[in-house]
PDB file of all heavy atoms in Angstrom:
ATOM      1  N   LEU A 542     -30.770 -30.538  24.028  1.00 73.00           N
ATOM      2  CA  LEU A 542     -29.664 -30.832  23.126  1.00 73.00           C
ATOM      3  C   LEU A 542     -28.400 -30.140  23.609  1.00 73.00           C
ATOM      4  O   LEU A 542     -28.441 -29.012  24.101  1.00 73.00           O
ATOM      5  CB  LEU A 542     -29.994 -30.344  21.715  1.00 73.00           C
ATOM      6  CG  LEU A 542     -30.878 -31.237  20.842  1.00 73.00           C
ATOM      7  CD1 LEU A 542     -31.250 -30.500  19.575  1.00 73.00           C
ATOM      8  CD2 LEU A 542     -30.176 -32.548  20.515  1.00 73.00           C
ATOM      9  N   THR A 543     -27.278 -30.788  23.445  1.00 82.00           N
ATOM     10  CA  THR A 543     -25.990 -30.190  23.792  1.00 82.00           C
ATOM     11  C   THR A 543     -25.196 -29.937  22.509  1.00 82.00           C
ATOM     12  O   THR A 543     -25.547 -30.431  21.427  1.00 82.00           O
ATOM     13  CB  THR A 543     -25.187 -31.128  24.710  1.00 82.00           C
ATOM     14  OG1 THR A 543     -24.848 -32.309  23.968  1.00 82.00           O
ATOM     15  CG2 THR A 543     -25.985 -31.501  25.948  1.00 82.00           C
ATOM     16  N   ILE A 544     -24.113 -29.197  22.645  1.00 86.00           N
ATOM     17  CA  ILE A 544     -23.226 -28.958  21.509  1.00 86.00           C
ATOM     18  C   ILE A 544     -22.695 -30.293  20.973  1.00 86.00           C
ATOM     19  O   ILE A 544     -22.609 -30.504  19.758  1.00 86.00           O
ATOM     20  CB  ILE A 544     -22.045 -28.056  21.931  1.00 86.00           C
ATOM     21  CG1 ILE A 544     -22.536 -26.630  22.217  1.00 86.00           C
ATOM     22  CG2 ILE A 544     -20.979 -28.036  20.852  1.00 86.00           C
ATOM     23  CD1 ILE A 544     -22.840 -25.806  21.005  1.00 86.00           C
ATOM     24  N   ASP A 545     -22.374 -31.188  21.886  1.00 86.00           N
ATOM     25  CA  ASP A 545     -21.848 -32.497  21.457  1.00 86.00           C
ATOM     26  C   ASP A 545     -22.875 -33.273  20.641  1.00 86.00           C
ATOM     27  O   ASP A 545     -22.535 -33.915  19.627  1.00 86.00           O
ATOM     28  CB  ASP A 545     -21.430 -33.316  22.679  1.00 86.00           C
ATOM     29  CG  ASP A 545     -20.179 -32.767  23.346  1.00 86.00           C
ATOM     30  OD1 ASP A 545     -19.432 -32.030  22.662  1.00 86.00           O
ATOM     31  OD2 ASP A 545     -19.961 -33.047  24.530  1.00 86.00           O
ATOM     32  N   ASP A 546     -24.153 -33.216  21.078  1.00 86.00           N
ATOM     33  CA  ASP A 546     -25.214 -33.888  20.317  1.00 86.00           C
ATOM     34  C   ASP A 546     -25.293 -33.341  18.900  1.00 86.00           C
ATOM     35  O   ASP A 546     -25.412 -34.090  17.914  1.00 86.00           O
ATOM     36  CB  ASP A 546     -26.569 -33.688  21.007  1.00 86.00           C
ATOM     37  CG  ASP A 546     -26.649 -34.391  22.356  1.00 86.00           C
ATOM     38  OD1 ASP A 546     -25.956 -35.407  22.528  1.00 86.00           O
ATOM     39  OD2 ASP A 546     -27.405 -33.907  23.219  1.00 86.00           O
ATOM     40  N   ILE A 547     -25.254 -32.032  18.810  1.00 91.00           N
ATOM     41  CA  ILE A 547     -25.387 -31.373  17.504  1.00 91.00           C
ATOM     42  C   ILE A 547     -24.185 -31.708  16.621  1.00 91.00           C
ATOM     43  O   ILE A 547     -24.333 -32.035  15.433  1.00 91.00           O
ATOM     44  CB  ILE A 547     -25.541 -29.852  17.697  1.00 91.00           C
ATOM     45  CG1 ILE A 547     -26.898 -29.546  18.353  1.00 91.00           C
ATOM     46  CG2 ILE A 547     -25.417 -29.100  16.369  1.00 91.00           C
ATOM     47  CD1 ILE A 547     -27.060 -28.124  18.838  1.00 91.00           C
ATOM     48  N   LEU A 548     -22.981 -31.626  17.181  1.00 91.00           N
ATOM     49  CA  LEU A 548     -21.776 -31.943  16.408  1.00 91.00           C
ATOM     50  C   LEU A 548     -21.797 -33.389  15.905  1.00 91.00           C
ATOM     51  O   LEU A 548     -21.443 -33.660  14.742  1.00 91.00           O
ATOM     52  CB  LEU A 548     -20.531 -31.712  17.268  1.00 91.00           C
ATOM     53  CG  LEU A 548     -19.994 -30.284  17.331  1.00 91.00           C
ATOM     54  CD1 LEU A 548     -18.920 -30.164  18.402  1.00 91.00           C
ATOM     55  CD2 LEU A 548     -19.431 -29.867  15.973  1.00 91.00           C
ATOM     56  N   ASP A 549     -22.223 -34.309  16.755  1.00 90.00           N
ATOM     57  CA  ASP A 549     -22.287 -35.716  16.343  1.00 90.00           C
ATOM     58  C   ASP A 549     -23.221 -35.897  15.152  1.00 90.00           C
ATOM     59  O   ASP A 549     -22.885 -36.586  14.168  1.00 90.00           O
ATOM     60  CB  ASP A 549     -22.780 -36.589  17.514  1.00 90.00           C
ATOM     61  CG  ASP A 549     -21.697 -36.797  18.569  1.00 90.00           C
ATOM     62  OD1 ASP A 549     -20.521 -36.568  18.239  1.00 90.00           O
ATOM     63  OD2 ASP A 549     -22.058 -37.164  19.704  1.00 90.00           O
ATOM     64  N   SER A 550     -24.406 -35.289  15.226  1.00 91.00           N
ATOM     65  CA  SER A 550     -25.386 -35.435  14.143  1.00 91.00           C
ATOM     66  C   SER A 550     -24.887 -34.807  12.854  1.00 91.00           C
ATOM     67  O   SER A 550     -25.014 -35.390  11.763  1.00 91.00           O
ATOM     68  CB  SER A 550     -26.712 -34.796  14.555  1.00 91.00           C
ATOM     69  OG  SER A 550     -27.299 -35.495  15.627  1.00 91.00           O
ATOM     70  N   VAL A 551     -24.305 -33.623  12.945  1.00 93.00           N
ATOM     71  CA  VAL A 551     -23.816 -32.921  11.755  1.00 93.00           C
ATOM     72  C   VAL A 551     -22.655 -33.684  11.130  1.00 93.00           C
ATOM     73  O   VAL A 551     -22.593 -33.867   9.898  1.00 93.00           O
ATOM     74  CB  VAL A 551     -23.405 -31.477  12.111  1.00 93.00           C
ATOM     75  CG1 VAL A 551     -22.719 -30.804  10.915  1.00 93.00           C
ATOM     76  CG2 VAL A 551     -24.610 -30.652  12.550  1.00 93.00           C
ATOM     77  N   CYS A 552     -21.731 -34.124  11.972  1.00 92.00           N
ATOM     78  CA  CYS A 552     -20.562 -34.848  11.451  1.00 92.00           C
ATOM     79  C   CYS A 552     -20.964 -36.180  10.808  1.00 92.00           C
ATOM     80  O   CYS A 552     -20.394 -36.580   9.774  1.00 92.00           O
ATOM     81  CB  CYS A 552     -19.548 -35.080  12.567  1.00 92.00           C
ATOM     82  SG  CYS A 552     -18.732 -33.556  13.113  1.00 92.00           S
ATOM     83  N   ASN A 553     -21.941 -36.867  11.393  1.00 91.00           N
ATOM     84  CA  ASN A 553     -22.436 -38.108  10.786  1.00 91.00           C
ATOM     85  C   ASN A 553     -23.056 -37.829   9.428  1.00 91.00           C
ATOM     86  O   ASN A 553     -22.860 -38.597   8.469  1.00 91.00           O
ATOM     87  CB  ASN A 553     -23.482 -38.760  11.701  1.00 91.00           C
ATOM     88  CG  ASN A 553     -22.848 -39.427  12.904  1.00 91.00           C
ATOM     89  OD1 ASN A 553     -21.673 -39.779  12.878  1.00 91.00           O
ATOM     90  ND2 ASN A 553     -23.614 -39.581  13.970  1.00 91.00           N
ATOM     91  N   HIS A 554     -23.781 -36.727   9.337  1.00 91.00           N
ATOM     92  CA  HIS A 554     -24.449 -36.403   8.067  1.00 91.00           C
ATOM     93  C   HIS A 554     -23.427 -36.076   6.974  1.00 91.00           C
ATOM     94  O   HIS A 554     -23.543 -36.548   5.835  1.00 91.00           O
ATOM     95  CB  HIS A 554     -25.396 -35.225   8.268  1.00 91.00           C
ATOM     96  CG  HIS A 554     -26.095 -34.795   7.012  1.00 91.00           C
ATOM     97  ND1 HIS A 554     -27.253 -35.408   6.558  1.00 91.00           N
ATOM     98  CD2 HIS A 554     -25.778 -33.843   6.085  1.00 91.00           C
ATOM     99  CE1 HIS A 554     -27.628 -34.834   5.426  1.00 91.00           C
ATOM    100  NE2 HIS A 554     -26.756 -33.885   5.114  1.00 91.00           N
ATOM    101  N   PHE A 555     -22.416 -35.276   7.317  1.00 92.00           N
ATOM    102  CA  PHE A 555     -21.438 -34.841   6.313  1.00 92.00           C
ATOM    103  C   PHE A 555     -20.237 -35.786   6.219  1.00 92.00           C
ATOM    104  O   PHE A 555     -19.331 -35.563   5.402  1.00 92.00           O
ATOM    105  CB  PHE A 555     -20.944 -33.420   6.635  1.00 92.00           C
ATOM    106  CG  PHE A 555     -21.964 -32.350   6.372  1.00 92.00           C
ATOM    107  CD1 PHE A 555     -22.646 -31.743   7.423  1.00 92.00           C
ATOM    108  CD2 PHE A 555     -22.257 -31.949   5.080  1.00 92.00           C
ATOM    109  CE1 PHE A 555     -23.582 -30.752   7.193  1.00 92.00           C
ATOM    110  CE2 PHE A 555     -23.195 -30.954   4.833  1.00 92.00           C
ATOM    111  CZ  PHE A 555     -23.869 -30.358   5.895  1.00 92.00           C
ATOM    112  N   GLU A 556     -20.239 -36.830   7.050  1.00 91.00           N
ATOM    113  CA  GLU A 556     -19.190 -37.845   7.034  1.00 91.00           C
ATOM    114  C   GLU A 556     -17.811 -37.224   7.257  1.00 91.00           C
ATOM    115  O   GLU A 556     -16.857 -37.435   6.488  1.00 91.00           O
ATOM    116  CB  GLU A 556     -19.227 -38.640   5.729  1.00 91.00           C
ATOM    117  CG  GLU A 556     -20.527 -39.407   5.542  1.00 91.00           C
ATOM    118  CD  GLU A 556     -20.572 -40.225   4.258  1.00 91.00           C
ATOM    119  OE1 GLU A 556     -19.692 -39.983   3.382  1.00 91.00           O
ATOM    120  OE2 GLU A 556     -21.443 -41.086   4.125  1.00 91.00           O
ATOM    121  N   VAL A 557     -17.723 -36.423   8.313  1.00 92.00           N
ATOM    122  CA  VAL A 557     -16.450 -35.833   8.731  1.00 92.00           C
ATOM    123  C   VAL A 557     -16.297 -36.091  10.233  1.00 92.00           C
ATOM    124  O   VAL A 557     -17.239 -36.521  10.896  1.00 92.00           O
ATOM    125  CB  VAL A 557     -16.404 -34.318   8.449  1.00 92.00           C
ATOM    126  CG1 VAL A 557     -16.456 -34.031   6.962  1.00 92.00           C
ATOM    127  CG2 VAL A 557     -17.544 -33.598   9.177  1.00 92.00           C
ATOM    128  N   THR A 558     -15.108 -35.809  10.776  1.00 93.00           N
ATOM    129  CA  THR A 558     -14.874 -36.040  12.195  1.00 93.00           C
ATOM    130  C   THR A 558     -15.096 -34.756  12.992  1.00 93.00           C
ATOM    131  O   THR A 558     -14.947 -33.637  12.460  1.00 93.00           O
ATOM    132  CB  THR A 558     -13.442 -36.530  12.452  1.00 93.00           C
ATOM    133  OG1 THR A 558     -12.523 -35.486  12.104  1.00 93.00           O
ATOM    134  CG2 THR A 558     -13.146 -37.785  11.638  1.00 93.00           C
ATOM    135  N   VAL A 559     -15.420 -34.925  14.260  1.00 91.00           N
ATOM    136  CA  VAL A 559     -15.594 -33.760  15.140  1.00 91.00           C
ATOM    137  C   VAL A 559     -14.286 -32.989  15.261  1.00 91.00           C
ATOM    138  O   VAL A 559     -14.279 -31.753  15.259  1.00 91.00           O
ATOM    139  CB  VAL A 559     -16.089 -34.216  16.543  1.00 91.00           C
ATOM    140  CG1 VAL A 559     -16.083 -33.045  17.530  1.00 91.00           C
ATOM    141  CG2 VAL A 559     -17.477 -34.832  16.465  1.00 91.00           C
ATOM    142  N   ALA A 560     -13.175 -33.716  15.335  1.00 91.00           N
ATOM    143  CA  ALA A 560     -11.867 -33.057  15.454  1.00 91.00           C
ATOM    144  C   ALA A 560     -11.593 -32.157  14.254  1.00 91.00           C
ATOM    145  O   ALA A 560     -11.051 -31.049  14.386  1.00 91.00           O
ATOM    146  CB  ALA A 560     -10.771 -34.113  15.593  1.00 91.00           C
ATOM    147  N   ALA A 561     -11.988 -32.623  13.054  1.00 91.00           N
ATOM    148  CA  ALA A 561     -11.763 -31.823  11.849  1.00 91.00           C
ATOM    149  C   ALA A 561     -12.627 -30.562  11.856  1.00 91.00           C
ATOM    150  O   ALA A 561     -12.175 -29.476  11.460  1.00 91.00           O
ATOM    151  CB  ALA A 561     -12.077 -32.663  10.620  1.00 91.00           C
ATOM    152  N   VAL A 562     -13.866 -30.700  12.311  1.00 92.00           N
ATOM    153  CA  VAL A 562     -14.769 -29.538  12.369  1.00 92.00           C
ATOM    154  C   VAL A 562     -14.263 -28.508  13.374  1.00 92.00           C
ATOM    155  O   VAL A 562     -14.311 -27.294  13.132  1.00 92.00           O
ATOM    156  CB  VAL A 562     -16.206 -29.989  12.720  1.00 92.00           C
ATOM    157  CG1 VAL A 562     -17.094 -28.785  13.002  1.00 92.00           C
ATOM    158  CG2 VAL A 562     -16.785 -30.811  11.578  1.00 92.00           C
ATOM    159  N   ASN A 563     -13.760 -28.982  14.519  1.00 91.00           N
ATOM    160  CA  ASN A 563     -13.248 -28.063  15.538  1.00 91.00           C
ATOM    161  C   ASN A 563     -11.840 -27.554  15.228  1.00 91.00           C
ATOM    162  O   ASN A 563     -11.349 -26.648  15.897  1.00 91.00           O
ATOM    163  CB  ASN A 563     -13.234 -28.752  16.909  1.00 91.00           C
ATOM    164  CG  ASN A 563     -14.628 -28.848  17.505  1.00 91.00           C
ATOM    165  OD1 ASN A 563     -15.522 -28.089  17.142  1.00 91.00           O
ATOM    166  ND2 ASN A 563     -14.821 -29.790  18.421  1.00 91.00           N
ATOM    167  N   GLY A 564     -11.219 -28.133  14.218  1.00 91.00           N
ATOM    168  CA  GLY A 564      -9.867 -27.725  13.860  1.00 91.00           C
ATOM    169  C   GLY A 564      -9.839 -26.459  13.021  1.00 91.00           C
ATOM    170  O   GLY A 564     -10.836 -25.752  12.882  1.00 91.00           O
ATOM    171  N   ARG A 565      -8.664 -26.204  12.403  1.00 89.00           N
ATOM    172  CA  ARG A 565      -8.460 -24.958  11.657  1.00 89.00           C
ATOM    173  C   ARG A 565      -8.471 -25.147  10.138  1.00 89.00           C
ATOM    174  O   ARG A 565      -8.264 -24.185   9.403  1.00 89.00           O
ATOM    175  CB  ARG A 565      -7.123 -24.336  12.070  1.00 89.00           C
ATOM    176  CG  ARG A 565      -7.070 -23.931  13.529  1.00 89.00           C
ATOM    177  CD  ARG A 565      -8.024 -22.792  13.812  1.00 89.00           C
ATOM    178  NE  ARG A 565      -8.269 -22.607  15.237  1.00 89.00           N
ATOM    179  CZ  ARG A 565      -9.086 -21.706  15.759  1.00 89.00           C
ATOM    180  NH1 ARG A 565      -9.753 -20.903  14.952  1.00 89.00           N
ATOM    181  NH2 ARG A 565      -9.272 -21.617  17.056  1.00 89.00           N
TER     182      ARG A 565
END
Side-chain angles (χ1 to χ4, degrees):
L542 279 172
T543 66
I544 290 284
D545 289 339
D546 293 332
I547 292 169
L548 276 170
D549 285 342
S550 294
V551 172
C552 290
N553 285 337
H554 178 84
F555 288 105
E556 298 181 346
V557 295
T558 65
V559 172
V562 171
N563 284 338
R565 297 293 165 182

